[in-house]
């Protein structure tokens, strides 16, 4: 009987595969974060809204440049931007945030609702869903498990939101300047990014090529 159960379980694993899970681990989202998000949308994107909601058109993949899950989560959790991020604080006191955080073993955490604006990509926050991967391109390069999790997550999001047209790496965001999707009001507000790198994005795009998502503009 035990052998039968084992082979049935093996059959399910092989032919159906494991379903990826999203673990809920929300960052602080209080009235202050909401107010600052609305202020950001107004001042940075020239959008006057009553709720800081988005209709996603772009998925942006990042790396955290922090080697641990806890360190990465703690970077996003506070509502206010820390003083060390001076290059960003001049634009808004709102802390950076992200919709999804992927640990090095491929575990996916949802840090905030997908329909709310997260501050993670200049010029495009109003329509962008963000995926952060724990690690960097040097001492802690992104893992195969993270790549597989990103592939699964992009497919999940595209199925859920047919409005999504683009998949980009953070390092590609400036290609949207001078396009209808770009809404940064300050022509001088830019930061130079290298994450998550050309190689990772090539593999990610190859893994979701059937979705026909566009790359950089």
């Amino acid at each position: 009987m035990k052998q039968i159960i084992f082979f049935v379980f093996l059959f399910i694993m092989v032919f159906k595969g494991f379903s990826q899970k999203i673990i809920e681990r929300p960052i602080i989202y209080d009235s202050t974060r909401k107010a600052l998000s609305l202020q950001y949308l107004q001042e940075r994107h020239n959008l006057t809204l009553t709720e800081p909601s988005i209709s996603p058109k772009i998925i942006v993949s990042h790396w955290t440049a922090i080697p641990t899950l806890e360190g990465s989560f703690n970077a996003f959790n506070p509502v206010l931007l820390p003083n060390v991020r001076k290059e960003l604080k001049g634009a808004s006191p709102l802390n950076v945030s992200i919709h999804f955080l992927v640990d090095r073993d491929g575990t996916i955490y949802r840090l905030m609702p997908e329909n709310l604006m997260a501050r993670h990509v200049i010029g495009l926050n109003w329509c962008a869903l963000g995926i952060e991967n724990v690690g960097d391109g040097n001492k802690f390069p992104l893992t195969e498990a993270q790549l597989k999790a990103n592939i699964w997550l992009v497919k999940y999001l595209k199925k859920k939101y047919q409005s999504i047209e683009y998949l980009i790496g953070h390092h590609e965001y400036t290609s949207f300047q001078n396009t209808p999707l770009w809404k940064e009001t300050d022509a001088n507000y830019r930061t130079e990014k290298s994450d998550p790198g050309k190689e990772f994005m090539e593999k990610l795009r190859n893994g979701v090529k059937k979705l026909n998502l566009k790359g950089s503009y």
Side-chain angles (χ1 to χ4, degrees), residues 29-197:
Y29 201 97
D30 57 10
S31 59
T32 300
R33 195 167 213 144
K34 178 180 178 180
L36 288 174
S37 296
L38 288 169
Q39 182 182 9
Y40 189 100
L41 286 162
Q42 171 63 57
E43 296 180 356
R44 311 303 336 154
H45 295 330
N46 199 27
L47 294 172
T48 302
L49 304 175
T50 56
E51 295 292 331
S53 57
I54 66 170
S55 177
K57 300 178 185 299
I58 305 172
I59 299 173
V60 186
S61 184
H62 308 250
W63 66 43
T64 65
I66 299 171
T68 66
L69 174 69
E70 291 305 313
S72 298
F73 178 85
N74 290 337
F76 298 120
N77 194 36
V79 172
L80 299 178
L81 197 68
N83 290 327
V84 293
R85 304 297 302 272
K86 292 180 180 179
E87 78 282 10
L88 300 180
K89 200 163 188 177
S92 172
L94 176 66
N95 193 18
V96 293
S97 53
I98 204 73
H99 298 95
F100 298 95
L101 180 61
V102 181
D103 200 1
R104 300 187 61 73
D105 64 358
T107 305
I108 300 172
Y109 298 88
R110 181 163 25 221
L111 272 56
M112 58 184 295
E114 298 147 24
N115 66 324
L116 295 179
M117 188 209 80
R119 183 184 183 183
H120 62 102
V121 56
I122 293 171
L124 302 170
N125 289 310
W126 71 279
C127 65
L129 290 172
I131 305 170
E132 284 278 2
N133 294 280
V134 176
D136 58 31
N138 187 13
K139 293 183 179 180
F140 302 95
L142 303 188
T143 67
E144 186 68 19
Q146 286 174 309
L147 174 62
K148 291 179 179 178
N150 276 243
I151 290 171
W152 182 91
L153 188 50
V154 170
K155 290 178 178 178
Y156 162 83
L157 291 172
K158 175 57 179 175
K159 184 177 180 180
K160 191 172 182 180
Y161 302 99
Q162 292 301 307
S163 57
I164 294 174
E165 299 180 52
Y166 297 90
L167 170 64
I168 67 170
H170 196 190
H171 62 286
E172 299 171 310
Y173 84 99
T174 55
S175 70
F176 285 83
Q177 296 177 100
N178 303 315
T179 75
L181 292 179
W182 185 265
K183 291 192 181 297
E184 173 53 47
T185 57
D186 185 349
N188 297 315
Y189 179 45
R190 308 286 187 273
T191 55
E192 188 174 341
K193 297 296 179 180
S194 60
D195 61 307

